[in-house]
């Protein structure tokens, strides 16, 4: 499984690459009044309106803003724009039906970009009950590296969409 | 002339003889005393003159050495070898002036250097801003490569080659990022060094100038003092030289005056001679006249008159004084 990796604070995160549509530098977005606090706002990319999820808030971290680099500037963040269910199904019907229940274009805000890793399915272990304050529901699995632990996100849970319903 | 008269005459002659002997002894004593005193006085005055001459020579050499080469003559070479105070002052002044000029030059150049370093510092800042641009490009390249990788993943097996290219591009962007970080580190260290160099040069440029000028002023004052003392010493030496000259003259006069010994000796000799004559005369008058002893009163008177006449002639002959001078100031005496 190809996984695109990111960091959120010290946390090393991964998202299955087939679910990712594109990655951009974070840019100004329009807030959505009355929405959950983890909804950063709406974004228009090439005519598509995308709902942006603030991953930090979604994971329940209080410090919503990433720590600056000391020079007073706010550290740059990146938007990971997800494919929609229909787009994924066009490529891989099985994966699309199993893991991509969301119909609308959505995006996740992360801190830093990582590599693209090819991880054998055997290496992916089931999530521990509670990992660094992340609800186990949000975790698809973990992969152990020498120095670090890669947490592969369950994007459907993060987005709050029940795959069964879809 | 009876025996009683002869006896009286003999006694008178005896008395006169004694008195004359005493006079002679006194005159001899005077001569010896004067001679002794004169010898000692001459010695001591000659010593005084020699010492005064030595002193005069010393003072003269001092004055010529103070006046430097201006004295001229044969002492010029020697005077040039020795550095006198006036030369020392002017030489020190010259050296000091060139020192201060050098320091002022260094100070001006330091200020110039500070400006150059400011230029360098702002150029370094430009380099840093360019590095930020390079970082931004590298980051955009990274995002681009990542998106290319996502697109290639959609193509599955067919996208493998494209994925390799995308990975290479990502790698390039990372390398570029690392280089830019290294350059940034070097530039930051350079900036720190430049800052500290600038501080040092600023201190140099600001501090040295005032210190040098103050020092120059102080040394100028001290040199003025030294010059004053030197001039005073020179003037005093000239005065001392004049005094020595006068002492020399006075000593000369004193030595000249000591020539009175000769006159005194001659006067004493003349005195002794006259004593002898008077003694002889009284001897003849009193009893040495054989014709008068037997003759009558008139014959005696005639004999004594004859003796008186003879001795008057003798006295007139020897009455020429050997020394006519009354004081030492009269007459020309060639002493030296």
């Amino acid at each position: 499984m190809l996984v695109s990796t990111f960091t959120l604070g010290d946390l090393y995160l991964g998202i299955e690459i087939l679910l990712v549509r594109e990655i951009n530098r974070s840019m100004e977005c329009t807030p959505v009044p009355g929405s959950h606090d983890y909804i950063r706002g709406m974004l228009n990319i090439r005519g598509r309106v995308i709902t942006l999820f603030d991953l930090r808030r979604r994971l329940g971290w209080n410090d919503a803003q990433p720590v600056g680099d000391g020079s007073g500037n706010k550290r740059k963040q990146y938007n990971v724009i997800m494919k929609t269910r229909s787009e994924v199904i066009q490529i891989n019907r099985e994966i699309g039906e199993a893991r991509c229940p969301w119909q609308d274009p959505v995006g996740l805000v992360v801190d830093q970009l990582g590599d693209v890793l090819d991880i054998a399915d055997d290496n992916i272990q089931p999530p521990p009950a509670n990992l660094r304050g992340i609800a186990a529901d949000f975790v698809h699995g973990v992969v152990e590296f020498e120095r670090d632990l890669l947490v592969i996100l369950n994007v459907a849970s993060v987005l709050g969409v029940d795959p069964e319903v879809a | 002339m009876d025996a009683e008269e002869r006896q009286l005459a003999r006694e008178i002659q005896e008395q006169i003889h004694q008195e004359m002997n005493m006079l002679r002894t006194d005159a001899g004593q005077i001569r010896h005393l004067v001679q002794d005193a004169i010898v000692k006085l001459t010695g001591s005055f000659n010593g005084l003159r020699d010492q005064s001459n030595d002193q005069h020579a010393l003072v003269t050499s001092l004055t010529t050495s103070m006046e430097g080469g201006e004295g001229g003559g044969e002492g010029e070479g020697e005077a040039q070898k020795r550095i006198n105070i006036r030369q020392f002052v002017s030489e020190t002044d010259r050296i000091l002036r060139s020192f201060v000029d050098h320091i002022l030059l260094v100070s001006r150049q330091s200020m110039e250097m500070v400006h150059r370093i400011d230029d360098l510092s702002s150029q370094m800042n430009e380099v840093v801003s360019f590095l930020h641009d390079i970082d931004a490009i590298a980051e955009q390249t990274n995002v681009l490569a990542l998106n290319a990788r996502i697109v290639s993943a959609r193509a599955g097996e067919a996208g493998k080659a494209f994925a390799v290219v995308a990975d290479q591009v990502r790698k390039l962007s990372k390398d570029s990022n690392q280089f830019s970080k290294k350059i940034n580190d070097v530039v930051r260290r350079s900036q720190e060094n430049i800052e500290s160099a600038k501080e040092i040069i600023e201190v140099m440029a600001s501090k040295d100038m005032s210190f040098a000028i103050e020092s120059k002023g102080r040394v100028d004052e001290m040199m003025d003092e030294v010059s004053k003392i030197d001039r005073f010493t020179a003037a005093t030496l000239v005065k001392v030289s004049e005094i020595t000259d006068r002492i020399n003259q006075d000593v000369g006069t004193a030595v000249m005056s000591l020539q009175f010994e000769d006159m005194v000796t001659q006067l004493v000799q003349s005195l002794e001679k006259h004593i002898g004559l008077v003694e002889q005369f009284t001897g003849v008058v009193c009893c040495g006249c054989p014709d008068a002893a037997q003759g009558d009163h008139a014959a005696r008177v005639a004999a004594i008159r004859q003796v008186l006449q003879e001795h008057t002639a003798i006295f007139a002959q020897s009455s020429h004084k050997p020394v006519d001078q009354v004081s030492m100031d009269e007459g020309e005496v060639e002493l030296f």
Side-chain angles (χ1 to χ4, degrees), chain B residues 167-216:
Chain B
D167 279 347
Q168 287 303 315
V169 172
R170 259 177 66 76
K171 196 170 168 297
L172 279 180
S173 97
K174 277 190 174 170
D175 287 352
S176 153
N177 211 349
Q178 274 176 357
F179 272 124
S180 130
K181 276 199 176 71
K182 280 179 188 167
I183 294 171
N184 215 342
D185 282 352
V186 172
V187 168
R188 186 165 295 130
R189 282 206 301 276
S190 300
Q191 271 180 323
E192 283 168 10
N193 286 337
I194 287 170
E195 268 312 305
S196 62
K198 191 180 149 187
E199 281 170 18
I200 291 167
I201 293 170
E202 271 175 347
V203 169
M204 247 170 70
S206 64
K207 205 173 182 181
D208 279 351
M209 204 163 359
S210 54
F211 175 72
I213 291 171
E214 275 174 28
S215 306
K216 171 81 174 71

Side-chain angles (χ1 to χ4, degrees), chain B residues 144-309:
Chain B
L144 196 66
L146 211 58
N147 282 317
R149 191 74 176 78
I150 290 163
V151 172
S152 78
R154 181 164 62 185
E157 282 301 311
K160 272 272 159 59
F162 190 55
V164 172
V165 175
D167 279 347
Q168 287 303 315
V169 172
R170 259 177 66 76
K171 196 170 168 297
L172 279 180
S173 97
K174 277 190 174 170
D175 287 352
S176 153
N177 211 349
Q178 274 176 357
F179 272 124
S180 130
K181 276 199 176 71
K182 280 179 188 167
I183 294 171
N184 215 342
D185 282 352
V186 172
V187 168
R188 186 165 295 130
R189 282 206 301 276
S190 300
Q191 271 180 323
E192 283 168 10
N193 286 337
I194 287 170
E195 268 312 305
S196 62
K198 191 180 149 187
E199 281 170 18
I200 291 167
I201 293 170
E202 271 175 347
V203 169
M204 247 170 70
S206 64
K207 205 173 182 181
D208 279 351
M209 204 163 359
S210 54
F211 175 72
I213 291 171
E214 275 174 28
S215 306
K216 171 81 174 71
R218 282 224 308 280
V219 173
D220 275 350
E221 284 169 19
M222 288 193 291
M223 284 301 160
D224 272 357
E225 284 298 314
V226 169
S227 287
K228 271 186 208 159
I229 291 169
D230 185 43
R231 279 198 295 278
F232 178 71
T233 310
T236 312
L237 276 179
V238 167
K239 276 182 197 160
V240 169
S241 177
E242 286 168 9
I243 291 170
T244 310
D245 277 347
R246 282 208 295 278
I247 289 175
N248 246 346
Q249 282 177 9
D250 289 350
V251 168
T253 315
V255 169
M256 196 173 71
S257 305
L258 290 179
Q259 296 297 316
F260 79 86
E261 181 227 356
D262 277 350
M263 305 175 208
V264 168
T265 307
Q266 285 171 33
L267 284 174
V268 169
Q269 277 170 355
S270 155
L271 189 66
E272 282 170 342
K273 191 178 161 193
H274 278 276
I275 289 167
L277 286 175
V278 168
E279 208 175 10
Q280 197 188 355
F281 172 64
T282 49
V284 172
V285 169
C286 290
C287 56
C289 193
D291 303 337
Q294 272 85 33
D296 58 359
H297 183 258
R300 277 191 321 220
V301 170
I304 289 170
R305 184 158 299 279
Q306 194 186 349
V307 169
L308 179 65
Q309 276 169 352

Side-chain angles (χ1 to χ4, degrees), chain B residues 63-73 75-77 79-80 84 86-87:
Chain B
T63 348
T64 34
S65 85
M66 288 191 82
E67 282 163 2
E70 293 163 29
E76 196 166 0
Q80 276 176 350
N84 63 26
R86 208 176 306 164
Q87 285 170 334

